[in-house]
Amino acid sequence: MMINKILQPIATHHHKGELNMIMLAYSLVCLIFGTTFLAIKIGVDAGAPPFFSAGLRFFMAGAVLFLFMVIRGKASFALLLRKEMLLTGAALTFGTFSALYWSEQYVSSGFAAVLSATGPMMILLMQTAFLRQKAPAYSLIGCIIGFTGVLLLVLPGLAVDVSPLWLIGCGVILIGECGYAAGAIYSKKVTTTLKSESPVALNAAQMMHGGVLLFILSLFTEKVQPEVFLSFKTAGSLLYLTVVGSMVAHTLFYWLVAKTNPVFPSTWLYISPPIAVGVGFLFYGETVTWITVLGVFTIIAGTILVNAGALKQLLLKPKRSTPQAQSAADGTYPRKQIL
């Protein structure tokens, strides 16, 4: 129902054929982002070094996208030398995905997806605690509801004989989301400073920097054996995540931003966690209990409340936004490459 309401003002600006293309692209974004968690899990379970494989994924995807933008005349190599790209990549790609890839060695893909949905809550808490920005009461209530969902997911595991690494993995994902939140807040400043640059080029550049940092971490922590990437599972996981998860999905995401507004494409965040839990259960035999389902929808409910201001603006304003309309007031942030 929420998606239908959001689509009403969008539909007034598009012919039926274009609206169908928008919905197809949106559906693909939700599906792709919802399946990347399982793809990561399959790769690391098959023996792919988590930091090296993450670095390979993001550096290759970023390099291809950036070179494409350079060829089209929409980016220059000078962008790669800006410190803003290094700092953004360190937080958005390196911080988030080093935590996620390492944790998925011990945490199910569905759990990882749901815990990753706490990113907007981390943003709100950082803005309130460090930037002294006053948050609406409903957003703070959303944080409480969302973290209640986290407890619903984690606490039952403490009642059974689980590995300490499982609990550590859950905590590391949440720490990674703090890195995402810091990067998202900083990247809003970067997009204002570099407003003449293409969002696709900015995203590609930060992916490359994040990939290099992941390579450096891998160099000191992992023993990489190239033959591990010759297996179907590891090679398939890497190919899917690089081409589909990072290149295709983000191209579709920015196309949706250009065709609609900054908020509508970001609503994938409410759709993809249940998809991730479902595909993990159906295709990888991951355990799903009624408490897991309750935790999923509790976290999603909290995330919707945190973003209620931006969603309300979108529902009430029939006027179409532009990609440059991502001001601090709309509450939207660049979404991670999960993906």
Side-chain angles (χ1 to χ4, degrees):
M1 184 177 293
M2 179 185 73
I3 297 297
N4 289 335
K5 289 184 179 180
I6 290 174
L7 279 173
Q8 286 175 2
I10 294 173
T12 62
H13 296 276
H14 298 279
H15 297 299
K16 184 176 180 180
E18 189 175 16
L19 184 60
N20 289 337
M21 289 297 296
I22 288 171
M23 286 310 301
L24 175 61
Y26 176 75
S27 300
L28 287 173
V29 166
C30 292
L31 181 63
I32 292 170
F33 284 160
T35 55
T36 49
F37 292 93
L38 180 57
I40 293 171
K41 181 70 173 174
I42 290 172
V44 296
D45 280 358
F51 302 139
F52 184 82
S53 56
L56 202 57
R57 166 193 175 183
F58 288 112
F59 184 80
M60 289 195 305
V64 171
L65 286 174
F66 192 82
L67 186 60
F68 176 72
M69 298 304 291
V70 170
I71 292 172
R72 294 185 62 193
K74 294 188 176 182
S76 69
F77 287 108
L79 181 62
L80 296 174
L81 302 178
R82 299 204 55 125
K83 69 178 187 300
E84 293 93 341
M85 295 297 93
L86 173 61
L87 294 175
T88 306
L92 283 181
T93 296
F94 174 76
T96 306
F97 290 99
S98 61
L100 180 65
Y101 270 70
W102 182 86
S103 297
E104 285 212 40
Q105 296 174 106
Y106 313 106
V107 177
S108 70
S109 64
F111 260 55
V114 177
L115 291 175
S116 293
T118 59
M121 302 173 207
M122 301 298 188
I123 292 174
L124 181 73
L125 292 177
M126 282 194 173
Q127 287 177 324
T128 304
F130 301 115
L131 302 182
R132 303 299 181 186
Q133 294 183 10
K134 187 176 180 180
Y138 57 76
S139 292
L140 294 175
I141 293 172
C143 278
I144 295 172
I145 293 174
F147 286 111
T148 299
V150 172
L151 292 176
L152 284 173
L153 288 177
V154 174
L155 289 181
L158 301 180
V160 297
D161 186 20
V162 296
S163 166
L165 288 172
W166 178 85
L167 184 59
I168 293 172
C170 292
V172 168
I173 291 174
L174 294 176
I175 292 172
E177 290 306 302
C178 292
Y180 161 70
I185 293 171
Y186 177 70
S187 69
K188 293 204 75 173
K189 178 182 176 181
V190 172
T191 54
T192 301
T193 304
L194 304 176
K195 58 185 176 182
S196 61
E197 300 286 350
S198 163
V200 177
L202 292 173
N203 188 49
Q206 71 85 15
M207 277 198 284
M208 291 176 68
H209 281 286
V212 170
L213 292 174
L214 284 161
F215 283 144
I216 294 172
L217 178 61
S218 173
L219 180 65
F220 289 100
T221 61
E222 297 173 331
K223 183 179 180 180
V224 179
Q225 297 176 327
E227 59 270 19
V228 76
F229 291 101
L230 297 179
S231 76
F232 175 77
K233 288 185 177 180
T234 53
S237 168
L238 180 62
L239 185 64
Y240 180 80
L241 290 167
T242 303
V243 177
V244 180
S246 292
M247 294 170 62
V248 174
H250 280 80
T251 300
L252 289 173
F253 180 87
Y254 286 113
W255 181 83
L256 284 168
V257 170
K259 289 293 183 180
T260 58
N261 50 62
V263 180
F264 170 64
S266 299
T267 57
W268 74 265
L269 187 63
Y270 318 129
I271 311 297
S272 291
I275 292 176
V277 172
V279 297
F281 172 74
L282 291 174
F283 300 108
Y284 209 61
E286 294 182 346
T287 301
V288 176
T289 66
W290 68 269
I291 295 181
T292 303
V293 175
L294 182 60
V296 169
F297 287 102
T298 302
I299 290 176
I300 292 173
T303 304
I304 291 174
L305 269 179
V306 167
N307 289 304
L311 293 172
K312 184 178 179 181
Q313 278 190 346
L314 182 58
L315 291 173
L316 295 180
K317 287 186 178 182
K319 185 178 178 180
R320 177 181 160 190
S321 305
T322 64
Q324 289 75 25
Q326 298 187 50
S327 63
D330 69 16
T332 59
Y333 292 87
R335 188 52 197 163
K336 56 187 88 165
Q337 295 81 2
I338 298 183
L339 305 137

Short mmCIF file of all heavy atoms in Angstrom, two decimals, residues 135-190:
data_model
loop_
_atom_site.label_atom_id
_atom_site.label_comp_id
_atom_site.label_asym_id
_atom_site.label_seq_id
_atom_site.Cartn_x
_atom_site.Cartn_y
_atom_site.Cartn_z
N ALA A 135 16.11 15.27 16.37
CA ALA A 135 15.34 14.28 15.61
C ALA A 135 13.87 14.32 16.03
O ALA A 135 13.57 14.53 17.21
CB ALA A 135 15.89 12.88 15.85
N PRO A 136 12.95 14.13 15.09
CA PRO A 136 11.53 14.06 15.45
C PRO A 136 11.26 12.88 16.38
O PRO A 136 11.98 11.87 16.35
CB PRO A 136 10.82 13.84 14.10
CG PRO A 136 11.82 14.24 13.06
CD PRO A 136 13.16 13.97 13.64
N ALA A 137 10.23 13.02 17.19
CA ALA A 137 9.91 11.97 18.16
C ALA A 137 9.63 10.64 17.47
O ALA A 137 10.05 9.58 17.97
CB ALA A 137 8.71 12.40 19.00
N TYR A 138 8.93 10.70 16.32
CA TYR A 138 8.60 9.43 15.65
C TYR A 138 9.86 8.72 15.15
O TYR A 138 9.89 7.49 15.09
CB TYR A 138 7.61 9.66 14.50
CG TYR A 138 8.05 10.62 13.43
CD1 TYR A 138 8.98 10.28 12.47
CD2 TYR A 138 7.50 11.91 13.37
CE1 TYR A 138 9.38 11.16 11.49
CE2 TYR A 138 7.89 12.81 12.39
CZ TYR A 138 8.82 12.43 11.46
OH TYR A 138 9.22 13.31 10.49
N SER A 139 10.90 9.47 14.79
CA SER A 139 12.14 8.84 14.35
C SER A 139 12.85 8.15 15.50
O SER A 139 13.40 7.05 15.35
CB SER A 139 13.07 9.88 13.71
OG SER A 139 12.54 10.36 12.49
N LEU A 140 12.85 8.79 16.67
CA LEU A 140 13.46 8.18 17.85
C LEU A 140 12.69 6.92 18.26
O LEU A 140 13.29 5.91 18.65
CB LEU A 140 13.51 9.18 19.00
CG LEU A 140 14.42 10.39 18.77
CD1 LEU A 140 14.29 11.37 19.94
CD2 LEU A 140 15.87 9.95 18.61
N ILE A 141 11.36 6.98 18.16
CA ILE A 141 10.54 5.79 18.44
C ILE A 141 10.89 4.69 17.44
O ILE A 141 10.98 3.51 17.79
CB ILE A 141 9.03 6.14 18.38
CG1 ILE A 141 8.68 7.08 19.53
CG2 ILE A 141 8.18 4.87 18.44
CD1 ILE A 141 7.26 7.63 19.44
N GLY A 142 11.12 5.08 16.17
CA GLY A 142 11.51 4.11 15.15
C GLY A 142 12.82 3.42 15.50
O GLY A 142 12.97 2.21 15.29
N CYS A 143 13.77 4.19 16.06
CA CYS A 143 15.04 3.58 16.49
C CYS A 143 14.81 2.55 17.59
O CYS A 143 15.39 1.46 17.57
CB CYS A 143 15.98 4.67 17.01
SG CYS A 143 16.87 5.55 15.70
N ILE A 144 13.97 2.90 18.55
CA ILE A 144 13.68 1.97 19.65
C ILE A 144 13.04 0.70 19.12
O ILE A 144 13.42 -0.42 19.49
CB ILE A 144 12.77 2.65 20.70
CG1 ILE A 144 13.52 3.82 21.35
CG2 ILE A 144 12.32 1.64 21.75
CD1 ILE A 144 12.64 4.67 22.25
N ILE A 145 12.06 0.86 18.21
CA ILE A 145 11.39 -0.30 17.63
C ILE A 145 12.38 -1.14 16.82
O ILE A 145 12.41 -2.37 16.92
CB ILE A 145 10.22 0.15 16.73
CG1 ILE A 145 9.11 0.78 17.58
CG2 ILE A 145 9.67 -1.03 15.92
CD1 ILE A 145 7.99 1.39 16.77
N GLY A 146 13.22 -0.46 16.04
CA GLY A 146 14.18 -1.18 15.21
C GLY A 146 15.17 -1.99 16.03
O GLY A 146 15.45 -3.15 15.72
N PHE A 147 15.70 -1.39 17.08
CA PHE A 147 16.67 -2.12 17.89
C PHE A 147 16.00 -3.18 18.76
O PHE A 147 16.65 -4.14 19.18
CB PHE A 147 17.49 -1.15 18.73
CG PHE A 147 18.51 -0.40 17.91
CD1 PHE A 147 18.39 0.95 17.67
CD2 PHE A 147 19.57 -1.08 17.33
CE1 PHE A 147 19.30 1.63 16.90
CE2 PHE A 147 20.50 -0.41 16.55
CZ PHE A 147 20.37 0.95 16.33
N THR A 148 14.70 -3.03 19.01
CA THR A 148 13.95 -4.12 19.63
C THR A 148 13.93 -5.32 18.69
O THR A 148 14.06 -6.48 19.11
CB THR A 148 12.51 -3.68 19.94
OG1 THR A 148 12.54 -2.58 20.86
CG2 THR A 148 11.71 -4.82 20.55
N GLY A 149 13.79 -5.04 17.39
CA GLY A 149 13.85 -6.11 16.39
C GLY A 149 15.20 -6.80 16.38
O GLY A 149 15.28 -8.02 16.22
N VAL A 150 16.28 -6.02 16.56
CA VAL A 150 17.61 -6.61 16.64
C VAL A 150 17.70 -7.57 17.81
O VAL A 150 18.23 -8.69 17.71
CB VAL A 150 18.69 -5.51 16.76
CG1 VAL A 150 20.07 -6.13 17.04
CG2 VAL A 150 18.75 -4.68 15.48
N LEU A 151 17.16 -7.15 18.96
CA LEU A 151 17.16 -8.02 20.14
C LEU A 151 16.36 -9.29 19.91
O LEU A 151 16.74 -10.38 20.35
CB LEU A 151 16.62 -7.27 21.36
CG LEU A 151 17.49 -6.12 21.88
CD1 LEU A 151 16.79 -5.39 23.03
CD2 LEU A 151 18.85 -6.64 22.34
N LEU A 152 15.23 -9.16 19.19
CA LEU A 152 14.42 -10.33 18.89
C LEU A 152 15.20 -11.34 18.05
O LEU A 152 15.00 -12.56 18.16
CB LEU A 152 13.14 -9.91 18.13
CG LEU A 152 12.04 -9.27 18.97
CD1 LEU A 152 10.92 -8.75 18.06
CD2 LEU A 152 11.48 -10.26 19.98
N LEU A 153 16.08 -10.83 17.18
CA LEU A 153 16.88 -11.72 16.36
C LEU A 153 18.02 -12.36 17.13
O LEU A 153 18.33 -13.54 16.96
CB LEU A 153 17.47 -10.95 15.16
CG LEU A 153 16.50 -10.53 14.05
CD1 LEU A 153 17.26 -9.72 13.00
CD2 LEU A 153 15.86 -11.74 13.40
N VAL A 154 18.66 -11.57 18.00
CA VAL A 154 19.91 -12.01 18.62
C VAL A 154 19.68 -12.79 19.91
O VAL A 154 20.32 -13.83 20.14
CB VAL A 154 20.82 -10.80 18.88
CG1 VAL A 154 22.07 -11.22 19.68
CG2 VAL A 154 21.24 -10.16 17.57
N LEU A 155 18.78 -12.33 20.76
CA LEU A 155 18.63 -12.93 22.09
C LEU A 155 18.26 -14.42 22.05
O LEU A 155 18.79 -15.19 22.87
CB LEU A 155 17.60 -12.14 22.91
CG LEU A 155 18.06 -10.75 23.37
CD1 LEU A 155 16.98 -10.08 24.19
CD2 LEU A 155 19.36 -10.85 24.18
N PRO A 156 17.36 -14.88 21.16
CA PRO A 156 17.07 -16.32 21.15
C PRO A 156 18.31 -17.17 20.90
O PRO A 156 18.40 -18.30 21.40
CB PRO A 156 16.06 -16.47 20.00
CG PRO A 156 15.40 -15.14 19.92
CD PRO A 156 16.47 -14.15 20.23
N GLY A 157 19.27 -16.62 20.14
CA GLY A 157 20.49 -17.37 19.88
C GLY A 157 21.32 -17.57 21.13
O GLY A 157 22.11 -18.52 21.22
N LEU A 158 21.16 -16.67 22.10
CA LEU A 158 21.92 -16.80 23.34
C LEU A 158 21.38 -17.90 24.23
O LEU A 158 22.06 -18.36 25.15
CB LEU A 158 21.90 -15.46 24.10
CG LEU A 158 22.47 -14.25 23.35
CD1 LEU A 158 22.38 -13.00 24.22
CD2 LEU A 158 23.91 -14.51 22.94
N ALA A 159 20.14 -18.32 23.96
CA ALA A 159 19.51 -19.35 24.78
C ALA A 159 19.90 -20.75 24.35
O ALA A 159 19.60 -21.73 25.02
CB ALA A 159 17.98 -19.20 24.75
N VAL A 160 20.56 -20.85 23.20
CA VAL A 160 21.00 -22.15 22.71
C VAL A 160 22.52 -22.14 22.60
O VAL A 160 23.17 -21.13 22.81
CB VAL A 160 20.36 -22.48 21.33
CG1 VAL A 160 18.85 -22.57 21.47
CG2 VAL A 160 20.74 -21.43 20.30
N ASP A 161 23.06 -23.28 22.29
CA ASP A 161 24.51 -23.43 22.24
C ASP A 161 25.04 -22.93 20.89
O ASP A 161 25.21 -23.69 19.94
CB ASP A 161 24.89 -24.90 22.44
CG ASP A 161 26.40 -25.08 22.55
OD1 ASP A 161 27.08 -24.08 22.86
OD2 ASP A 161 26.88 -26.20 22.35
N VAL A 162 25.26 -21.61 20.79
CA VAL A 162 25.77 -21.03 19.57
C VAL A 162 27.23 -20.66 19.75
O VAL A 162 27.70 -20.44 20.87
CB VAL A 162 24.97 -19.78 19.16
CG1 VAL A 162 23.53 -20.13 18.84
CG2 VAL A 162 25.05 -18.71 20.23
N SER A 163 27.95 -20.59 18.64
CA SER A 163 29.35 -20.21 18.69
C SER A 163 29.47 -18.75 19.11
O SER A 163 28.67 -17.90 18.68
CB SER A 163 29.98 -20.41 17.31
OG SER A 163 31.22 -19.75 17.23
N PRO A 164 30.46 -18.42 19.94
CA PRO A 164 30.69 -17.01 20.28
C PRO A 164 30.94 -16.17 19.03
O PRO A 164 30.62 -14.98 19.02
CB PRO A 164 31.94 -17.06 21.17
CG PRO A 164 31.96 -18.45 21.72
CD PRO A 164 31.37 -19.33 20.66
N LEU A 165 31.47 -16.80 17.98
CA LEU A 165 31.72 -16.07 16.74
C LEU A 165 30.42 -15.62 16.08
O LEU A 165 30.40 -14.62 15.35
CB LEU A 165 32.53 -16.93 15.77
CG LEU A 165 34.00 -17.14 16.15
CD1 LEU A 165 34.65 -18.15 15.22
CD2 LEU A 165 34.76 -15.81 16.10
N TRP A 166 29.33 -16.35 16.33
CA TRP A 166 28.03 -15.92 15.80
C TRP A 166 27.62 -14.60 16.42
O TRP A 166 27.21 -13.66 15.71
CB TRP A 166 26.97 -16.99 16.09
CG TRP A 166 25.59 -16.61 15.63
CD1 TRP A 166 25.07 -16.79 14.38
CD2 TRP A 166 24.56 -15.98 16.40
NE1 TRP A 166 23.78 -16.31 14.32
CE2 TRP A 166 23.44 -15.81 15.56
CE3 TRP A 166 24.47 -15.55 17.73
CZ2 TRP A 166 22.26 -15.23 15.99
CZ3 TRP A 166 23.29 -14.96 18.16
CH2 TRP A 166 22.20 -14.80 17.30
N LEU A 167 27.75 -14.50 17.73
CA LEU A 167 27.38 -13.27 18.42
C LEU A 167 28.32 -12.13 18.02
O LEU A 167 27.88 -11.00 17.79
CB LEU A 167 27.44 -13.49 19.93
CG LEU A 167 26.98 -12.31 20.81
CD1 LEU A 167 25.54 -11.95 20.50
CD2 LEU A 167 27.14 -12.66 22.29
N ILE A 168 29.62 -12.44 17.92
CA ILE A 168 30.59 -11.43 17.49
C ILE A 168 30.26 -10.95 16.08
O ILE A 168 30.33 -9.76 15.77
CB ILE A 168 32.02 -11.99 17.56
CG1 ILE A 168 32.41 -12.26 19.02
CG2 ILE A 168 33.02 -11.03 16.91
CD1 ILE A 168 33.73 -13.00 19.17
N GLY A 169 29.88 -11.91 15.21
CA GLY A 169 29.52 -11.55 13.85
C GLY A 169 28.35 -10.59 13.79
O GLY A 169 28.37 -9.62 13.02
N CYS A 170 27.34 -10.83 14.60
CA CYS A 170 26.19 -9.91 14.66
C CYS A 170 26.65 -8.51 15.08
O CYS A 170 26.24 -7.50 14.50
CB CYS A 170 25.14 -10.43 15.64
SG CYS A 170 24.30 -11.95 15.11
N GLY A 171 27.50 -8.47 16.10
CA GLY A 171 28.00 -7.18 16.57
C GLY A 171 28.84 -6.46 15.53
O GLY A 171 28.74 -5.24 15.37
N VAL A 172 29.67 -7.22 14.80
CA VAL A 172 30.52 -6.62 13.78
C VAL A 172 29.69 -6.01 12.65
O VAL A 172 30.02 -4.94 12.13
CB VAL A 172 31.52 -7.67 13.24
CG1 VAL A 172 32.23 -7.16 11.99
CG2 VAL A 172 32.56 -8.00 14.31
N ILE A 173 28.60 -6.68 12.27
CA ILE A 173 27.71 -6.11 11.24
C ILE A 173 27.15 -4.77 11.69
O ILE A 173 27.12 -3.79 10.93
CB ILE A 173 26.57 -7.08 10.89
CG1 ILE A 173 27.11 -8.30 10.16
CG2 ILE A 173 25.51 -6.39 10.02
CD1 ILE A 173 26.08 -9.39 9.91
N LEU A 174 26.74 -4.69 12.96
CA LEU A 174 26.19 -3.44 13.48
C LEU A 174 27.27 -2.36 13.51
O LEU A 174 27.00 -1.19 13.23
CB LEU A 174 25.61 -3.66 14.87
CG LEU A 174 24.37 -4.57 14.93
CD1 LEU A 174 23.94 -4.79 16.37
CD2 LEU A 174 23.22 -3.98 14.12
N ILE A 175 28.51 -2.74 13.85
CA ILE A 175 29.61 -1.77 13.82
C ILE A 175 29.85 -1.30 12.38
O ILE A 175 30.10 -0.12 12.13
CB ILE A 175 30.89 -2.41 14.41
CG1 ILE A 175 30.72 -2.66 15.90
CG2 ILE A 175 32.11 -1.51 14.16
CD1 ILE A 175 31.84 -3.45 16.53
N GLY A 176 29.76 -2.24 11.44
CA GLY A 176 29.90 -1.88 10.03
C GLY A 176 28.84 -0.89 9.59
O GLY A 176 29.11 0.01 8.79
N GLU A 177 27.64 -1.03 10.13
CA GLU A 177 26.58 -0.08 9.80
C GLU A 177 26.86 1.30 10.37
O GLU A 177 26.42 2.31 9.81
CB GLU A 177 25.22 -0.60 10.31
CG GLU A 177 24.70 -1.80 9.54
CD GLU A 177 24.64 -1.54 8.04
OE1 GLU A 177 23.96 -0.58 7.63
OE2 GLU A 177 25.29 -2.29 7.30
N CYS A 178 27.60 1.36 11.46
CA CYS A 178 28.05 2.67 11.98
C CYS A 178 29.01 3.31 10.97
O CYS A 178 28.97 4.53 10.75
CB CYS A 178 28.75 2.50 13.33
SG CYS A 178 27.64 2.00 14.67
N GLY A 179 29.88 2.49 10.36
CA GLY A 179 30.76 2.99 9.31
C GLY A 179 29.96 3.50 8.12
O GLY A 179 30.26 4.56 7.56
N TYR A 180 28.93 2.75 7.74
CA TYR A 180 28.06 3.20 6.65
C TYR A 180 27.40 4.52 7.00
O TYR A 180 27.34 5.44 6.17
CB TYR A 180 26.99 2.15 6.35
CG TYR A 180 25.82 2.73 5.60
CD1 TYR A 180 25.96 3.12 4.28
CD2 TYR A 180 24.59 2.92 6.23
CE1 TYR A 180 24.90 3.69 3.59
CE2 TYR A 180 23.53 3.48 5.54
CZ TYR A 180 23.68 3.86 4.23
OH TYR A 180 22.65 4.44 3.56
N ALA A 181 26.91 4.64 8.22
CA ALA A 181 26.22 5.87 8.63
C ALA A 181 27.16 7.06 8.55
O ALA A 181 26.79 8.13 8.05
CB ALA A 181 25.67 5.70 10.04
N ALA A 182 28.39 6.90 9.06
CA ALA A 182 29.36 7.98 9.01
C ALA A 182 29.67 8.36 7.56
O ALA A 182 29.74 9.54 7.21
CB ALA A 182 30.64 7.57 9.74
N GLY A 183 29.83 7.35 6.71
CA GLY A 183 30.11 7.61 5.31
C GLY A 183 28.94 8.27 4.60
O GLY A 183 29.13 9.14 3.74
N ALA A 184 27.72 7.86 4.94
CA ALA A 184 26.54 8.43 4.31
C ALA A 184 26.39 9.90 4.67
O ALA A 184 26.07 10.74 3.82
CB ALA A 184 25.30 7.66 4.72
N ILE A 185 26.61 10.23 5.95
CA ILE A 185 26.53 11.62 6.39
C ILE A 185 27.60 12.46 5.69
O ILE A 185 27.34 13.56 5.19
CB ILE A 185 26.67 11.71 7.91
CG1 ILE A 185 25.45 11.06 8.59
CG2 ILE A 185 26.81 13.16 8.37
CD1 ILE A 185 25.58 10.89 10.09
N TYR A 186 28.83 11.92 5.64
CA TYR A 186 29.92 12.65 5.00
C TYR A 186 29.68 12.79 3.50
O TYR A 186 29.99 13.84 2.91
CB TYR A 186 31.24 11.92 5.26
CG TYR A 186 32.43 12.57 4.58
CD1 TYR A 186 32.92 13.80 5.01
CD2 TYR A 186 33.05 11.94 3.49
CE1 TYR A 186 34.01 14.39 4.38
CE2 TYR A 186 34.13 12.53 2.87
CZ TYR A 186 34.61 13.75 3.31
OH TYR A 186 35.67 14.34 2.68
N SER A 187 29.13 11.76 2.87
CA SER A 187 28.95 11.79 1.43
C SER A 187 27.93 12.84 1.00
O SER A 187 27.97 13.32 -0.14
CB SER A 187 28.54 10.42 0.91
OG SER A 187 27.24 10.08 1.34
N LYS A 188 27.01 13.21 1.89
CA LYS A 188 26.08 14.29 1.54
C LYS A 188 26.82 15.60 1.38
O LYS A 188 26.51 16.41 0.50
CB LYS A 188 25.00 14.41 2.61
CG LYS A 188 24.06 13.22 2.67
CD LYS A 188 22.72 13.57 3.27
CE LYS A 188 21.88 14.33 2.28
NZ LYS A 188 20.49 14.54 2.76
N LYS A 189 27.83 15.81 2.22
CA LYS A 189 28.68 16.99 2.07
C LYS A 189 29.48 16.91 0.78
O LYS A 189 29.66 17.92 0.07
CB LYS A 189 29.62 17.10 3.27
CG LYS A 189 30.59 18.26 3.21
CD LYS A 189 31.52 18.27 4.40
CE LYS A 189 32.57 19.38 4.28
NZ LYS A 189 33.50 19.37 5.43
N VAL A 190 29.97 15.71 0.46
CA VAL A 190 30.78 15.52 -0.75
C VAL A 190 29.96 15.80 -2.00
O VAL A 190 30.42 16.48 -2.93
CB VAL A 190 31.35 14.09 -0.80
CG1 VAL A 190 32.03 13.82 -2.13
CG2 VAL A 190 32.33 13.88 0.34
#
